[in-house]
Amino acid sequence: MSDEIKRLPKLWTGDHYNEGIGRDDIFDKLREECGVFGVFGIPHACTLGYYGLHALQHRGEESAGLAAVESATGHFSYHRGMGLVKEVFDQTKLEGLPGDRVIGHVRYSTAGESRLANAQPLIFKYRDGDLAVATNGNIVNAPSIRKELESQGSIFQTTSDTEVIAHLIARSSKDFVSAAKDALQRIIGGFAFLLMTNDKLLVASDPHGLRPLVMGRLGEGYVFASETCALETVGAAYERDVQPGELLVLDRDGLRVDRFERLERRATCAMEYIYFARPDSDINGINLHSARKRMGRQLALESFIDADIVTGVPDSSISAAIGYAEQTGIPYELGLIKNKYTGRTFIQPSQELREKGVKMKLSAVRKVVEGKRVVMIDDSIVRGTTSLRIVNMLREAGATEVHVCITSPPFKNPCYYGIDTPDRKELIASQKTVEEIRQAINADSLYFLSNEGFVEAVGGNDGEYNRGMCLACFDNDYPTPVDPTSEKSCSC
């Protein structure tokens, strides 16, 4: 490398390109921390695992991993790496993962360290052989369990809360399935677990179903994923959602359905419907593109604005913007374009360079918005910095008015179940009124979807509380005990 090249400034922080991608982004969007994918009883399972993780890439772009087992021999192999799925795996690495069973994981890092040791699946050796663990979510009481285990002599290898369940299983004198049930009963939080040994695959969803997890069939085998879009990608037929508190045990005898906890209150994360999951996925039988269109329609009914065009902030708000436009009759236009090939925006100390980074990720279409009164649809406001930048971008492109409509209620409370959220004091909606937020983001008007309107738009079971959703980030009603003063654990 020449001296001239060495002197050039790094355009990202850390040792690898995507390190810390879940933190300090120019766009202060919420981050889902991970996605899981599993295969049982299908030859060349690692190939399906690769494509399944690729379909879930939006749920985690920092690290990826696969662990595989050959059922005939019990042979166990794995590979993990930092970066995108296509960067971590190639044909040679996939060929080194023979077997008909596999679990995989994609991850964002948040409060924990960004390093290979935290990449999943986490791999352990214990008395009965090999154990691989992959999870999506967060264990709320992991810090206290970890301190208890460390005082009893356990030595932790990672800063991930996922390691807690492996230690609980390893310390038990019971058989693997019984030990796993006991461990799942001890932990509190929102999680979707895949646990694989040399002869078994266990699939579990937390007692409230906070994190999505679905099951599909492909031939005689089974496929499990955080979202149905991954089933579609590998050609599996959707069978059903894994139910809250359910434990599925797969081994040479086939599939056995068990439970580790009874369902008291279904509380699927509202942000999965609003933002995280891909629009072509279904959660609890509800298609997300259709639900987001209904959110846009409901927002139009609650907050009509006389304007010339409607535009959505790509990509998650496009469906809602179409719904708003259809309901009001105001034309929908592509007023904002996302550059999909920038990767992580350059994090530089200069504010001027940060603003250039914004325009590398998102551009206003001047010929579309110039001289127009614009309704800008977005899914949420976190700190407010993103909304301010986009509103100013539209004004600089010639928009005469910019009205902001948000397809969620005000995000006032931190999440403890696997979403990377700032502290409460950094959430603008917990510190300011709607009018104060409007002024802060330089909008001509600002409207949020009501709690009731959101629940009605998503749909779901009328007989369930909040129609089976967790709205804690909006209403502070958490489905499990949480301790806001406790140490924040490293999810996934």
Side-chain angles (χ1 to χ4, degrees):
M1 185 181 295
S2 70
D3 290 340
E4 181 179 355
I5 292 176
K6 287 179 180 178
R7 286 194 299 270
L8 290 173
K10 280 175 65 175
L11 298 181
W12 60 89
T13 58
D15 294 329
H16 58 275
Y17 179 68
N18 278 344
E19 182 172 337
I21 193 169
R23 289 168 277 169
D24 301 326
D25 195 358
I26 282 177
F27 288 107
D28 65 332
K29 304 298 287 184
L30 299 169
R31 294 290 188 184
E32 176 66 271
E33 289 171 4
C34 40
V36 296
F37 188 83
V39 178
F40 183 88
I42 303 174
H44 309 294
C46 66
T47 301
L48 295 181
Y50 172 84
Y51 286 113
L53 292 184
H54 199 276
L56 298 174
Q57 187 74 86
H58 60 287
R59 300 184 73 91
E61 298 179 9
E62 184 170 74
S63 67
L66 289 168
V69 169
E70 175 56 66
S71 61
T73 63
H75 175 72
F76 181 95
S77 55
Y78 69 94
H79 178 73
R80 301 173 300 171
M82 307 302 290
L84 301 174
V85 175
K86 65 180 181 181
E87 296 166 338
V88 172
F89 295 99
D90 56 26
Q91 189 63 40
T92 301
K93 291 185 174 65
L94 290 175
E95 289 173 355
L97 300 172
D100 54 1
R101 303 172 185 176
V102 73
I103 65 172
H105 190 268
V106 288
R107 176 180 184 265
Y108 277 122
S109 73
T110 55
E113 297 178 29
S114 173
R115 57 190 179 100
L116 183 58
N118 285 333
Q120 293 191 32
L122 297 182
I123 309 298
F124 306 93
K125 289 282 187 182
Y126 80 123
R127 65 179 184 278
D128 292 335
D130 300 290
L131 171 63
V133 183
T135 185
N136 169 26
N138 183 54
I139 301 172
V140 174
N141 62 337
S144 61
I145 295 177
R146 183 178 182 126
K147 289 177 182 176
E148 173 194 327
L149 294 173
E150 287 176 332
S151 70
Q152 297 171 0
S154 292
I155 299 174
F156 283 76
Q157 305 298 316
T158 76
T159 58
S160 170
D161 66 352
T162 304
E163 190 175 354
V164 164
I165 195 168
H167 283 268
L168 290 172
I169 291 171
R171 294 176 67 89
S172 174
S173 60
K174 298 181 180 180
D175 65 88
F176 174 63
V177 175
S178 298
K181 287 179 69 173
D182 288 347
L184 291 165
Q185 288 168 355
R186 278 209 63 185
I187 61 179
I188 298 171
F191 51 81
F193 267 110
L194 300 180
L195 303 101
M196 186 172 68
T197 65
N198 304 84
D199 62 354
K200 285 183 173 59
L201 172 64
L202 269 57
V203 182
S205 174
D206 73 80
H208 298 282
L210 280 150
R211 303 262 68 88
L213 186 60
V214 296
M215 178 175 74
R217 294 298 303 268
L218 184 58
E220 298 300 313
Y222 296 87
V223 179
F224 302 90
S226 291
E227 293 184 34
T228 58
C229 65
L231 302 183
E232 293 280 351
T233 296
V234 301
Y238 168 79
E239 186 86 357
R240 65 179 179 88
D241 287 44
V242 179
Q243 295 303 302
E246 196 170 45
L247 177 66
L248 307 182
V249 181
L250 298 100
D251 55 24
R252 66 183 61 187
D253 296 322
L255 169 67
R256 185 171 81 255
V257 179
D258 200 349
R259 298 195 69 84
F260 66 93
E261 287 284 3
R262 63 189 179 91
L263 170 63
E264 293 185 356
R265 169 191 165 188
R266 187 189 307 271
T268 304
C269 174
M271 293 306 295
E272 294 284 356
Y273 294 98
I274 295 166
Y275 172 60
F276 291 128
R278 269 179 33 174
D280 55 333
S281 288
D282 299 341
I283 295 179
N284 295 325
I286 297 170
N287 173 255
L288 297 184
H289 167 68
S290 299
R292 288 168 188 168
K293 279 186 67 176
R294 292 194 296 271
M295 291 177 210
R297 286 180 174 275
Q298 182 64 31
L299 189 56
L301 292 172
E302 294 181 5
S303 311
F304 173 78
I305 297 164
D306 186 15
D308 300 310
I309 64 170
V310 176
T311 192
V313 178
D315 292 313
S316 59
S317 302
I318 299 300
S319 300
I322 294 171
Y324 190 98
E326 288 180 352
Q327 182 65 39
T328 61
I330 301 170
Y332 166 76
E333 293 284 357
L334 284 175
L336 294 164
I337 300 294
K338 182 180 179 181
N339 182 353
K340 300 179 184 296
Y341 304 103
T342 56
R344 187 182 183 195
T345 305
F346 307 153
I347 303 300
Q348 297 282 3
S350 161
Q351 180 63 24
E352 180 183 358
L353 287 176
R354 285 179 66 85
E355 295 304 327
K356 289 188 189 308
V358 172
K359 292 182 179 179
M360 288 184 64
K361 273 197 166 181
L362 197 66
S363 300
V365 185
R366 180 174 295 275
K367 296 297 184 182
V368 170
V369 304
E370 192 171 29
K372 300 292 198 308
R373 298 169 298 168
V374 178
V375 176
M376 184 191 93
I377 307 293
D378 205 357
D379 50 69
S380 59
I381 296 180
V382 185
R383 294 181 179 91
T385 54
T386 293
S387 298
L388 173 62
R389 289 183 176 118
I390 300 175
V391 168
N392 287 342
M393 186 185 298
L394 289 167
R395 292 194 187 282
E396 290 167 6
T400 58
E401 297 176 12
V402 181
H403 303 270
V404 177
C405 291
I406 305 298
T407 59
S408 68
F411 200 106
K412 297 180 178 181
N413 311 294
C415 179
Y416 297 93
Y417 305 122
I419 299 175
D420 181 22
T421 54
D423 294 334
R424 191 185 305 272
K425 63 179 180 294
E426 296 180 61
L427 295 169
I428 192 170
S430 71
Q431 307 298 318
K432 297 180 182 293
T433 66
V434 173
E435 172 57 22
E436 289 171 337
I437 298 172
R438 182 198 67 76
Q439 294 175 17
I441 66 173
N442 194 28
D444 289 285
S445 66
L446 171 64
Y447 297 96
F448 290 89
L449 186 60
S450 67
N451 279 29
E452 298 76 16
F454 168 72
V455 171
E456 181 66 27
V458 173
N461 189 342
D462 281 333
E464 293 185 298
Y465 183 71
N466 284 337
R467 293 200 175 182
M469 288 184 288
C470 172
L471 307 182
C473 48
F474 312 133
D475 63 12
N476 204 36
D477 181 10
Y478 295 94
T480 74
V482 297
D483 180 5
T485 65
S486 69
E487 173 189 353
K488 185 175 180 181
S489 60
C490 173
S491 309
C492 294

